[in-house]
Amino acid sequence: MAQMRLDKLLAGRTPHSRSEVRQLLREGAVRVDGVCITDGSRKIDPETQTVSCAGKILPGGSYTYYILNKPKGVVSATEDRQRTVLDLIPAEQRVKGLFPAGRLDADSTGLVLLTDDGALAHRMLTPGKHVPKFYLIRLARPFAAEYPARLQKGLTLADGTVCLPAEVRHLREQYALICLHEGKYHQVKRMFAALGNHVENLHRVGIGRYLLPPDIGCGGYLAISHKDVENLLSEGRLDVVCEQIMKNFSSYLLNADQ
Ligand code: URA
């Protein structure tokens, strides 16, 4: 990729405005390959150089990666009559070609990756390689002891669709955490309908080994680092995710229940 101005790169790949970027540069908060740079006009190559701002590494290469905490009523599309996930990113940071890698229903909330990297989205979503997705759900009726074994066998939905084995853990009261390796239409809701229950709320908390930070409010977004992108593509484990969710249960519930 061609070299580009450091201030332009920072404005495009962090949530900061241009004036905030100037301020951060003045304050010495920006480093290129570990060296503090205060001159925003400095040309750098994001493909080969590592840039950090206020201690956070910017996503590198020629691609952009944002994660967001999707609110209810927002659709996972690039264009629609309703508000879309792209509308949650300020216009000046909405790079060309940005799209949601994977969908959440309009009434679901939580983690969505927005990127212009089609190959990464493909790696994340290809059936067979499908990285695990973790959903915090609230059920209408009590969690039955038979659910883990039935889901582990691979459930057949009302229309005959056969699902891959899925793992589920009861957290407390009507809350559970489910892990899927595929993404069929309304899958979690239809699975619990097949079990005779009803999903009242669905909040995606993790993809691969990456967990939605508990302090990202509803509608908030973040440019993520290389390491986070790698974590999105890695095998995550339900027991590890469970532990993290239980540690920050009130923050996740606050997000999941809105
Ligand atoms: N399963 C669902 O039913 N809905 C979602 O939004 C995601 C998974």
Side-chain angles (χ1 to χ4, degrees):
M1 192 198 175
Q3 294 207 327
M4 66 189 290
R5 280 179 64 116
L6 180 57
D7 50 6
K8 193 156 175 245
L9 180 86
L10 289 162
R13 296 193 188 175
T14 67
H16 302 296
S17 64
R18 282 176 189 276
S19 60
E20 285 167 346
V21 164
R22 278 195 294 276
Q23 178 68 22
L24 285 160
L25 282 158
R26 270 198 299 274
E27 287 169 359
V30 177
R31 288 176 178 269
V32 177
D33 292 335
V35 178
C36 177
I37 306 284
T38 52
D39 175 7
S41 70
R42 178 75 70 92
K43 290 278 179 56
I44 68 125
D45 181 352
E47 201 84 67
T48 57
Q49 294 182 285
T50 302
V51 181
S52 69
C53 178
K56 277 198 178 159
I57 296 178
L58 268 58
S62 44
Y63 295 115
T64 299
Y65 306 94
Y66 294 122
I67 55 101
L68 58 86
N69 184 358
K70 187 186 95 59
K72 282 192 179 174
V74 171
V75 295
S76 302
T78 50
E79 271 180 14
D80 199 89
R81 273 179 295 136
Q82 292 184 65
R83 200 148 75 108
T84 73
V85 282
L86 281 194
D87 296 327
L88 298 173
I89 308 291
E92 68 277 10
Q93 298 191 15
R94 224 178 285 152
V95 297
K96 221 168 114 210
L98 211 55
F99 68 98
R103 287 166 180 273
L104 279 181
D105 298 337
D107 64 351
S108 299
T109 57
L111 179 59
V112 173
L113 171 70
L114 288 182
T115 183
D116 51 353
D117 181 351
L120 175 119
H122 184 72
R123 277 167 68 199
M124 235 174 77
L125 303 170
T126 316
K129 286 193 206 149
H130 220 289
V131 292
K133 309 257 168 54
F134 298 90
Y135 301 91
L136 172 61
I137 54 173
R138 191 180 74 223
L139 296 168
R141 288 178 275 287
F143 185 94
E146 64 179 32
Y147 290 168
R150 288 192 62 191
L151 286 160
Q152 191 61 58
K153 263 199 213 151
L155 211 60
T156 303
L157 304 180
D159 64 355
T161 305
V162 178
C163 299
L164 291 174
E167 275 184 287
V168 70
R169 275 286 169 82
H170 183 208
L171 298 177
R172 64 186 214 206
E173 294 119 30
Q174 251 103 293
Y175 292 96
L177 189 69
I178 180 162
C179 168
L180 298 189
H181 281 84
E182 57 184 346
K184 294 181 166 52
Y185 178 68
H186 291 336
Q187 184 164 352
V188 176
K189 291 173 189 157
R190 291 196 296 152
M191 283 170 128
F192 279 90
L195 292 169
N197 210 319
H198 173 73
V199 175
E200 288 185 328
N201 252 324
L202 184 150
H203 184 63
R204 183 152 68 198
V205 290
I207 301 178
R209 209 177 286 161
Y210 183 85
L211 273 193
L212 188 65
D215 54 352
I216 286 203
C218 187
Y221 77 101
L222 198 70
I224 58 169
S225 70
H226 276 311
K227 181 147 181 20
D228 290 332
V229 173
E230 273 166 31
N231 281 335
L232 279 166
L233 293 169
S234 307
E235 193 56 39
R237 286 196 5 228
L238 187 70
D239 53 344
V240 176
V241 177
C242 263
E243 202 179 297
Q244 291 301 319
I245 299 297
M246 292 315 282
K247 258 194 215 158
N248 292 291
F249 200 60
S250 50
S251 312
Y252 281 111
L253 274 203
L254 201 69
N255 274 315
D257 280 345
Q258 12 208 352

